[in-house]
Amino acid sequence: MIFIEKKIFLFLLIFFLLFLPPLGQSLGMYYTLHISALIGIYLLLILGLNLILGFVGLLDLGFIAFYACGAYLSALLSIRGWNFCLVLPATIILTVLLRLLLGLPALRLRGDYLAIVTLGFGEIMRLVLNNWDGLTNGPKGLPRVGEAISSPKFFFLTFQSDLSFYYLILFFVILGIIVSRRLDNSRIGRAWIAIREDELAAETCGINVDKVKLFAFCFSAIYAATAGVLYTHWIKFISPESFTFWESVLLVSMVVLGGMGSIPGVILATILVIGVPEFLRGLLGTQLVNYRMLFFGLGLVLMVIFRPQGIVPSKRRELELHPSNE
Amino acid sequence: MFFQQLLNGVTLGSIYALIALGYTMVYGILLMINFAHSEIFMSGAFFGYFFYQLFSRISFFQEKIFFFIFFLFLCSMFSTALLGIFIEQVAYKPLRRAPRLAPLISAIGVSIFIQNFFMLFVSNQSVAYPQIFPLKKYNFSLLEINSLQIFIIFLSISLMLVLRFFIQYTKLGKATRAVSQDRETASLMGINVNRIISLTFFIGAGLGGAAGILNGMYYGSIKYNMGFLPGIKAFTAAVLGGIGNISGAMFGGYILGICEAFTAGFIPGGAEWKDVFAFAILILVLLLKPSGLLGTQLKKV
Amino acid sequence: MRKFAFLLSFVLSLSTINYLLSTAFLGCAPKKEAKKIVRIALAAPITGDLTAMGQGMKKSAEMAIEEANKSDEFEGIKLELVPFDDRFDPKEAVNVANQIVSDTKIVGVVGHLNSGCSIPASRVYAQHNLVMISPASTNPKLTLQQLEPSWQWVRNVFRVCTTDDVQGSFGADFAWGKLKLKKFAVIHDKTPYGQGLAEEFAKQFKKIGGTVSSFDGIIVGEKDFKALLTRIKADKPDGIYFGGVYNECGLIIRQAKELGLNVPLISGDACFSPELIKIGGPATGNNYITMVGASPERLPQAKEFLEKYKTKYPKVDSQPYDHYTYEATKIILQAIKMGSLEKKEIIETVRKIKYNGVLGETAFDEKGDTLNKVISVYKIKEGKFIPLN
């Protein structure tokens, strides 16, 4: 294990991601593809949340609201016959605008107050989706009877089959990871970390704190919206049940479990949290499967107690001062 | 009808306020959102049910309804409080020095665990709650009130007054306030911080337990997943009143209860939108007066 | 990075082992028996907020399979039920559906409970020619989607429950014609089932000349409806119609009585459970529940089912969708008995089937909806459901 070089490892990972689902498909294990795709969609969400929670250190308990927004907007546009090439940017722009509207007043708040405002916003979003029957068809979900969400089409490429769609998701995930890494190592990424460590000190160093925070806040919405668009086109039917408060909580716990601000960490945590329940399903058999969530809860507690800094703690973060560690 | 709706709101608000106290006290001391508090509330209701089953077999209690209710509340609140301390010792105490979000995740884990534990090993169906309190109706010209509503409002207000007195005037209460202001300095003054934190969980969980029993008595049935919604509402109430502030939590609870009753009770179709109103008010209050309605400016976290 | 590499390979190997194990478990059935193993999957919320209903579905499906195994009607076949937990969550439902189609021994699916899960999952089953009979999803879209051009697969979706329009309008006719009530307050729980039922009720009730004094949604999981009921009381309705599940229904009945709103309440089949009486207490008397299928008094099969259920699970209250699940499982079994073990054949057999069971005679129209539109009414009296017609 020690001799594995970084490049070989990356190569192996890509190989695995590229060929595991088709392999499962050919062996008749169709769920490998679906779980891989779901992990991919969640990875996008997690990378987005990691941006704001991990890099800037702002707790967002309503991140799922923007995922829901992306999913519903893209469904509404796709039903009206828009091409995927237009649906994706339009959804992203609208979601980011919404995020901006929330962020402008909310980012003035500090610490946990921001968390509470986002929590409230998340709940409002879900309730509005459930109650605004005229637009969202309420609890009955979209698309309505007689409508359909078409498969994504890029000029001459059509992502009709599940497998090709999986590669589309994979493409966005890899793009997301690259962008995330770039941001982390950029000037603005360093500004985020400065803000996380000490906002006041950052400001005196000439960082425009409000602007930089707002940028992170809105940028994370791009991830959420993309994940939402992909989810809608993958499942092809959405209803408000998918966007509960618990989803937001799950996302936050994935980021903390993985190690805040650590990209490999959050990727691992996502694979674990989305994959492990499925893993337990196979292992526990039909009788014990009811105990799955019990074990999951226990696992979360044990994990945090024995490794509170996350599975793969971010190197940079480990060197920081923590107010609670004084 | 106005007064009737006000009564509906106040009864609901009393229960919210009791739960909100648990959130606010823990937040005041540990700066942590105790997600497991909603499950403590739920287990309180179940403890009440178990003690009812136990006490109804003891002949001493058959006649004396006052003692019956008194001991029922005392025992169940005490057991719930012990559960609260147990959770604190197992899941939060090892995390005192961990990054700030770690206890939050631990709390989520505990919450999932307790809920599933009750579902798997106690009951996955609704449990009918016994009619402990003799129900009588009183009719005034403006409103109709029953004995149970009076009991709920009376009990929750007196519990809150006792708590207020305790925090304000006793030595332990002073110590609690000192810890919530500055943990380090308090420990330098010879206060056993760990014990104070345990005490906070003890009191908060006890009050949550009382709210659980009242909820069971009022609505007549309990279920393993009953905690989630009141939990999140009570948390909202705590923030509304100014989190970390004890009178604020009570105030917030009543405001939220009355606001809910009025939206559902006066606006046609309002019942499905009342939570939207509640959260919208929460956001507006936080944006305009971030420390909550009664709060003082919180120091930067 | 090395640590990360190590951990990731750990996870990946774990998941590989999982794949291997699960296929091993599913693949190597006991070899001693010469009998051919045929599996039926049950997809329901076995954990989560609706666990009681899901567990009820599991119990009744198990009962059907056990009976079939005991009888000697299935020669050379050993039937097995494989329960899958969708946790009431659409993405979990699609997960489960993919697991189900991966098991080649599964020939049919009974499930899911809510339409939000059934609709996305049904596409997965369709791609693999697997028959799906939903015992409880009432969203019209579930079967209608099969007629849309985007549905390129076989029409595999059936349901033994009716859509909302049948039951809702029956409730309206019953309230107007039999009970002679003129003014109704309608409440629903903002789920596809409850809202659909309430909308159909209100539509029909207005059509035949009644007044709907108010139309309100509530939030599932909420416990306090006093404010809403106080407002409804001021309108002085003759009755309340509720579209939703027994939890909220019981609470509404109880709180209405506490407020002195002594009018009958009518609700649909999701309230047909002793749990309603447990939650509502003595206040549940003189209320009405509509239910698909003829009453058990007239149907010997239904009576037999109830008795068997009581003897097998004496401590558990029956759940609203037990009958439907039992019936759905029986229909798939019937199709297997008629000689088809090929997945596609089963779909065609089910389409043509005429089955006499606990719900009366069930047959399916071209969409897959049941043609059995008999609805019976139960009056609650002293904690029991008394059939009226």
Side-chain angles (χ1 to χ4, degrees):
Chain A
M1 195 53 65
I2 305 160
F3 301 107
I4 292 186
E5 289 294 322
K6 196 172 160 185
K7 271 186 188 157
I8 299 179
F9 165 73
L10 264 178
F11 177 75
L12 275 177
L13 179 70
I14 289 170
F15 182 81
F16 209 82
L17 287 173
L18 278 177
F19 295 109
L20 181 74
L23 187 76
Q25 205 80 328
S26 62
L27 288 175
M29 292 185 283
Y30 301 101
Y31 56 93
T32 45
L33 178 67
H34 180 71
I35 294 173
S36 312
L38 202 64
I39 288 176
I41 290 169
Y42 268 78
L43 272 178
L44 278 173
L45 275 175
I46 284 295
L47 287 168
L49 187 64
N50 185 43
L51 216 65
I52 183 102
L53 175 61
F55 293 168
V56 197
L58 301 173
L59 178 55
D60 185 343
L61 282 175
F63 197 62
I64 215 76
F66 298 92
Y67 173 52
C69 178
Y72 265 87
L73 277 173
S74 69
L76 286 169
L77 295 177
S78 185
I79 285 166
R80 279 164 183 71
W82 286 40
N83 190 298
F84 189 75
C85 296
L86 289 172
V87 170
L88 186 66
T91 310
I92 289 175
I93 290 167
L94 288 172
T95 312
V96 169
L97 277 179
L98 188 74
R99 184 88 165 163
L100 191 70
L101 275 180
L102 177 72
L104 274 177
L107 282 176
R108 290 187 297 129
L109 300 172
R110 291 225 167 97
D112 289 357
Y113 289 131
L114 178 73
I116 294 154
V117 167
T118 48
L119 183 157
F121 187 80
E123 282 298 283
I124 289 179
M125 178 63 109
R126 186 180 59 82
L127 288 164
V128 167
L129 291 179
N130 203 31
N131 290 349
W132 192 355
D133 297 82
L135 184 75
T136 65
N137 204 20
K140 293 186 189 113
L142 282 175
R144 296 179 181 81
V145 175
E147 297 170 338
I149 292 170
S150 51
S151 297
K153 220 184 258 172
F154 276 117
F155 307 105
F156 53 91
L157 275 171
T158 314
F159 294 90
Q160 188 91 45
S161 77
D162 286 349
L163 196 61
S164 59
F165 196 83
Y166 166 72
Y167 288 125
L168 187 69
I169 294 176
L170 196 63
F171 166 75
F172 279 110
V173 171
I174 291 171
L175 192 70
I177 293 175
I178 293 171
V179 171
S180 221
R181 281 188 71 97
R182 285 289 180 149
L183 275 173
D184 192 18
N185 293 324
S186 71
R187 192 187 156 80
I188 198 156
R190 285 193 294 276
W192 286 342
I193 283 146
I195 291 174
R196 185 179 64 191
E197 282 224 44
D198 193 330
E199 209 171 309
L200 209 65
E203 194 139 26
T204 45
C205 293
I207 295 170
N208 188 339
V209 172
D210 290 343
K211 222 178 194 173
V212 172
K213 267 201 216 165
L214 196 64
F215 176 73
F217 198 69
C218 292
F219 203 86
S220 63
I222 297 179
Y223 282 85
T226 315
V229 174
L230 291 174
Y231 179 75
T232 302
H233 285 81
W234 173 253
I235 301 264
K236 294 214 159 66
F237 180 80
I238 47 170
S239 51
E241 288 137 342
S242 304
F243 309 103
T244 55
F245 172 61
W246 269 115
E247 293 283 303
S248 285
V249 168
L250 202 69
L251 291 180
V252 172
S253 58
M254 281 191 244
V255 173
V256 178
L257 274 185
M260 299 222 297
S262 139
I263 295 171
V266 295
I267 293 175
L268 248 169
T270 314
I271 296 175
L272 275 173
V273 172
I274 303 290
V276 159
E278 293 307 308
F279 168 64
L280 287 176
R281 199 200 291 279
L283 201 71
L284 291 177
T286 50
Q287 285 306 312
L288 275 173
V289 86
N290 299 353
Y291 296 78
R292 206 160 43 124
M293 288 311 280
L294 195 76
F295 292 138
F296 180 67
L298 198 65
L300 271 187
V301 177
L302 292 178
M303 197 58 217
V304 193
I305 287 178
F306 292 110
R307 213 177 159 75
Q309 69 273 44
I311 309 171
V312 185
S314 151
K315 283 249 166 57
R316 211 185 259 164
R317 210 181 152 82
E318 271 191 334
L319 301 172
E320 283 175 23
L321 294 169
H322 295 295
S324 52
N325 280 4
E326 284 158 28
Chain B
M1 195 159 99
F2 176 80
F3 289 98
Q4 193 68 43
Q5 297 290 21
L6 194 68
L7 175 72
N8 290 333
V10 169
T11 323
L12 187 61
S14 305
I15 295 175
Y16 285 160
L18 274 182
I19 312 172
L21 284 173
Y23 279 110
T24 224
M25 287 181 70
V26 170
Y27 191 90
I29 287 203
L30 286 180
L31 294 180
M32 157 205 161
I33 305 168
N34 182 10
F35 263 102
H37 194 60
S38 56
E39 303 329 310
I40 286 177
F41 160 75
M42 179 266 291
S43 18
F46 273 94
F47 283 132
Y49 179 75
F50 298 144
F51 280 109
Y52 175 84
Q53 299 292 351
L54 189 72
F55 288 170
S56 54
R57 300 221 174 93
I58 300 171
S59 54
F60 168 73
F61 290 119
Q62 296 302 337
E63 304 287 305
K64 300 172 186 82
I65 184 84
F66 172 76
F67 283 109
F68 187 99
I69 292 176
F70 180 75
F71 278 103
L72 180 75
F73 270 88
L74 195 71
C75 293
S76 350
M77 279 168 74
F78 189 71
S79 334
T80 321
L82 285 184
L83 179 71
I85 289 197
F86 177 73
I87 293 173
E88 191 262 333
Q89 293 288 325
V90 171
Y92 307 147
K93 202 175 171 195
L95 297 172
R96 284 288 150 73
R97 299 200 168 273
R100 257 197 46 174
L101 278 174
L104 184 81
I105 305 304
S106 185
I108 292 166
V110 170
S111 173
I112 296 177
F113 182 81
I114 298 183
Q115 200 185 92
N116 278 275
F117 185 85
F118 272 82
M119 181 190 95
L120 290 165
F121 302 111
V122 180
S123 171
N124 62 16
Q125 300 191 332
S126 297
V127 176
Y129 220 68
Q131 193 79 49
I132 308 168
F133 203 74
L135 207 61
K136 269 191 210 108
K137 265 189 191 170
Y138 304 100
N139 224 326
F140 302 103
S141 56
L142 281 174
L143 82 166
E144 204 181 273
I145 189 166
N146 65 34
S147 49
L148 192 57
Q149 283 171 316
I150 298 176
F151 177 68
I152 288 174
I153 297 171
F154 170 76
L155 185 73
S156 43
I157 289 182
S158 42
L159 279 174
M160 287 183 246
L161 287 180
V162 169
L163 177 70
R164 180 119 186 97
F165 176 82
F166 173 80
I167 296 285
Q168 209 71 34
Y169 298 110
T170 63
K171 211 171 169 187
L172 271 176
K174 265 182 202 152
T176 313
R177 276 185 293 149
V179 172
S180 80
Q181 267 173 16
D182 193 329
R183 215 192 293 170
E184 311 277 304
T185 320
S187 76
L188 289 178
M189 301 295 150
I191 295 170
N192 185 341
V193 173
N194 277 332
R195 197 172 289 165
I196 294 295
I197 291 175
S198 294
L199 180 78
T200 311
F201 272 88
F202 186 83
I203 296 173
L207 294 174
I213 309 172
L214 290 178
N215 186 293
M217 281 162 72
Y218 191 44
Y219 300 116
S221 59
I222 52 175
K223 206 177 174 184
Y224 66 93
N225 63 358
M226 65 186 268
F228 176 68
L229 219 53
I232 201 165
K233 294 278 182 60
F235 177 63
T236 309
V239 180
L240 204 61
I243 195 154
N245 179 326
I246 289 181
S247 350
M250 306 180 206
F251 186 64
Y254 285 112
I255 293 272
L256 189 71
I258 292 168
C259 156
E260 276 192 14
F262 280 7
T263 11
F266 289 116
I267 305 168
E272 61 190 75
W273 290 99
K274 66 177 183 164
D275 284 11
V276 176
F277 280 103
F279 287 116
I281 288 177
L282 172 79
I283 292 182
L284 282 180
V285 165
L286 282 184
L287 292 181
L288 300 175
K289 192 171 182 314
S291 47
L293 290 173
L294 289 189
T296 44
Q297 193 64 47
L298 208 77
K299 59 181 184 243
K300 193 188 141 195
V301 185
Chain C
M1 199 64 207
R2 259 183 211 142
K3 221 178 208 173
F4 170 54
F6 172 71
L7 275 162
L8 198 99
S9 35
F10 175 68
V11 173
L12 292 181
S13 48
L14 262 187
S15 46
T16 321
I17 293 171
N18 171 34
Y19 293 142
L20 293 177
L21 271 182
S22 51
T23 40
F25 273 135
L26 300 174
C28 62
K31 276 169 190 136
K32 284 168 249 165
E33 290 183 51
K35 279 184 174 178
K36 187 176 159 67
I37 288 183
V38 172
R39 293 197 172 109
I40 293 175
L42 172 79
I46 294 172
T47 60
D49 283 353
L50 285 178
T51 172
M53 273 191 195
Q55 296 280 2
M57 290 166 75
K58 190 177 147 210
K59 286 189 185 99
S60 24
E62 269 167 2
M63 243 170 79
I65 298 282
E66 239 170 67
E67 281 162 23
N69 272 331
K70 268 185 206 151
S71 73
D72 37 318
E73 286 162 339
F74 297 88
E75 255 178 71
I77 294 176
K78 187 169 182 295
L79 295 155
E80 280 175 7
L81 182 82
V82 203
F84 286 88
D85 181 13
D86 67 19
R87 282 221 309 275
F88 198 67
D89 177 352
K91 70 174 186 319
E92 196 76 6
V94 182
N95 265 345
V96 159
N98 277 291
Q99 297 240 2
I100 289 174
V101 296
S102 303
D103 183 350
T104 47
K105 291 205 167 61
I106 292 178
V107 297
V109 185
V110 177
H112 298 238
L113 177 71
N114 55 322
S115 308
C117 286
S118 296
I119 295 174
S122 64
R123 305 174 73 92
V124 179
Y125 301 130
Q127 284 168 34
H128 296 91
N129 302 318
L130 205 56
V131 68
M132 158 179 168
I133 305 187
S134 173
S137 303
T138 52
N139 191 337
K141 165 112 187 160
L142 176 61
T143 48
L144 280 173
Q145 63 175 349
Q146 299 176 93
L147 305 178
E148 287 162 11
S150 63
W151 191 268
Q152 299 137 343
W153 314 284
V154 65
R155 278 182 279 143
N156 67 322
V157 186
F158 300 90
R159 63 175 143 210
V160 287
C161 54
T162 54
T163 45
D164 307 321
D165 49 330
V166 182
Q167 221 186 126
S169 54
F170 179 88
D173 291 335
F174 174 76
W176 179 263
K178 285 263 170 60
L179 298 179
K180 312 268 181 234
L181 302 174
K182 301 270 159 4
K183 192 169 161 190
F184 259 75
V186 180
I187 309 176
H188 62 85
D189 67 354
K190 267 319 250 188
T191 62
Y193 165 79
Q195 190 175 357
L197 211 59
E199 276 165 1
E200 292 299 333
F201 175 90
K203 205 164 84 188
Q204 176 72 7
F205 198 65
K206 276 183 206 152
K207 209 172 107 192
I208 51 183
T211 348
V212 174
S213 59
S214 62
F215 191 85
D216 286 280
I218 55 165
I219 297 163
V220 177
E222 198 71 55
K223 278 186 130 175
D224 197 287
F225 308 113
K226 284 219 167 134
L228 172 65
L229 290 167
T230 307
R231 191 181 86 219
I232 285 176
K233 192 184 164 195
D235 292 337
K236 297 198 173 59
D238 301 327
I240 301 173
Y241 188 82
F242 177 68
V245 181
Y246 55 76
N247 281 320
E248 284 76 26
C249 186
L251 288 166
I252 285 178
I253 291 176
R254 192 184 173 106
Q255 289 172 22
K257 286 277 140 55
E258 274 176 27
L259 286 171
L261 183 60
N262 288 310
V263 295
L265 180 141
I266 305 177
S267 189
D269 49 359
C271 296
F272 189 74
S273 164
E275 276 215 39
L276 174 75
I277 291 151
K278 213 157 69 182
I279 297 165
T284 43
N286 290 328
N287 292 302
Y288 302 89
I289 303 293
T290 55
M291 172 89 186
V292 180
S295 69
E297 310 301 304
R298 296 215 193 135
L299 272 177
Q301 295 99 315
K303 210 170 178 177
E304 203 184 325
F305 168 73
L306 284 177
E307 278 159 13
K308 271 192 284 189
Y309 196 93
K310 262 261 124 26
T311 46
K312 193 152 195 276
Y313 308 107
K315 279 188 187 161
V316 191
D317 291 334
S318 66
Q319 292 288 321
Y321 294 108
D322 289 354
H323 302 70
Y324 298 108
T325 312
Y326 184 77
E327 189 81 332
T329 321
K330 281 277 196 185
I331 288 172
I332 295 184
L333 288 173
Q334 177 74 12
I336 296 171
K337 196 160 47 175
M338 283 158 80
S340 40
L341 278 174
E342 204 58 44
K343 286 178 186 171
K344 260 195 173 158
E345 267 177 50
I346 292 181
I347 295 177
E348 291 317 311
T349 322
V350 169
R351 197 185 307 289
K352 286 185 216 107
I353 221 162
K354 272 201 171 50
Y355 184 74
N356 258 309
V358 290
L359 297 175
E361 193 185 72
T362 302
F364 298 103
D365 64 9
E366 79 282 358
K367 299 194 302 293
D369 281 337
T370 178
L371 290 168
N372 177 3
K373 296 203 168 132
V374 182
I375 294 196
S376 44
V377 186
Y378 294 80
K379 186 175 184 172
I380 307 172
K381 221 175 190 176
E382 286 155 9
K384 287 204 169 64
F385 293 94
I386 314 285
L388 282 187
N389 53 344

